[in-house]
């Protein structure tokens, strides 16, 4: 329950944001997140590549987001170093700076355990006044996946809020 409260507080601090479980079935769900950010377009891609600056330590295997790295090349690893080994959380499948978009094959945490297909798409299109809107869409399909939507929404909302805050305040 403390994680849910923390996620709500962090999301509120990130400024006006919209989060929604857009669809849910027994075997899948779609989450969407959206918030205005003030960072220039180039800074968004740079921030995505450095999750230690915004990912929560509480949502790592090692206990420290500083052990996470993201290789923003197709086939690149969103990995976490562990003593004597590591874990692959996601794989980069699309990096398209001109379109302000990246996409990951991303069966984070318990989703890998159920054999889910999970795609996280991040985009940051221009908005009015020279700002931009950070958007995440997370589409998950796997046996019994729909029952996990609420818990995964809380975790992803926290990470999204932390990135949005980082992009608007520099940390």
């Amino acid at each position: 329950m403390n994680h849910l409260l923390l996620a709500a507080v962090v999301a509120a601090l990130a400024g006006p944001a919209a989060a929604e479980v857009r669809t849910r079935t027994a075997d899948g769900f779609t989450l969407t997140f959206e918030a205005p950010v003030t960072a220039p377009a180039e800074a968004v891609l740079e921030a995505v590549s450095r999750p230690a600056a915004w990912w929560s330590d509480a949502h790592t295997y090692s206990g420290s987001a500083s052990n996470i790295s993201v290789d923003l090349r197709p086939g690149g690893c969103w990995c976490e170093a562990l003593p004597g080994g590591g874990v692959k959380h996601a794989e980069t499948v699309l990096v398209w700076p001109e379109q302000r978009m990246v996409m990951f094959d991303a069966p984070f945490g318990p989703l890998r355990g159920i054999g889910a297909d999970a795609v996280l798409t991040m985009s940051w299109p221009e908005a009015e006044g020279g700002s931009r809107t950070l958007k995440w869409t997370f589409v998950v399909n796997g046996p019994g996946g729909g029952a996990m939507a609420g818990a995964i929404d809380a975790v992803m909302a926290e990470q999204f809020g932390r990135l949005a805050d980082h992009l608007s305040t520099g940390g």
Side-chain angles (χ1 to χ4, degrees), residues 17 25 27 31 37 58 63 70 91 95-96 111 120 136 141 145 149 154 160 165 170:
T25 66
D27 292 330
L31 307 176
V37 296
V70 176
E91 181 176 321
V95 179
W96 200 353
L111 295 173
L120 174 61
W136 282 13
N141 290 295
F160 176 83
D165 183 53

Side-chain angles (χ1 to χ4, degrees), residues 142-171:
M148 303 170 93
I152 292 173
D153 178 51
V155 171
M156 295 303 282
E158 178 185 356
Q159 306 328 299
F160 176 83
R162 291 171 64 97
L163 177 57
D165 183 53
H166 177 76
L167 291 169
S168 290
T169 65

Side-chain angles (χ1 to χ4, degrees), residues 13-162:
L13 293 175
E20 178 181 2
V21 177
R22 184 163 305 261
T23 63
R24 183 188 324 215
T25 66
D27 292 330
F29 56 91
T30 299
L31 307 176
T32 60
F33 306 91
E34 190 172 309
V37 296
T38 57
E42 317 76 57
V44 178
L45 197 57
E46 175 63 26
V48 169
S49 75
R50 293 181 298 108
W54 53 272
W55 194 268
S56 170
D57 291 338
H59 296 291
T60 66
Y61 288 106
S62 66
S64 177
S66 65
N67 292 320
I68 299 175
S69 61
V70 176
D71 180 355
L72 288 177
R73 294 178 294 175
C77 187
W78 182 322
C79 290
E80 181 177 351
L82 299 172
V87 61
K88 177 180 179 180
H89 293 294
E91 181 176 321
T92 306
V93 296
L94 172 75
V95 179
W96 200 353
E98 285 182 2
Q99 295 297 315
R100 296 182 176 98
M101 179 187 306
V102 294
M103 185 182 298
F104 301 94
D105 177 11
F108 295 112
L111 295 173
R112 187 169 306 281
I114 65 167
D117 291 319
V119 176
L120 174 61
T121 304
M122 300 179 181
S123 62
W124 51 98
E126 295 290 329
E128 289 185 32
S131 66
R132 66 200 71 269
T133 302
L134 180 65
K135 298 180 180 184
W136 282 13
T137 303
F138 194 45
V139 180
V140 175
N141 290 295
M148 303 170 93
I152 292 173
D153 178 51
V155 171
M156 295 303 282
E158 178 185 356
Q159 306 328 299
F160 176 83
R162 291 171 64 97

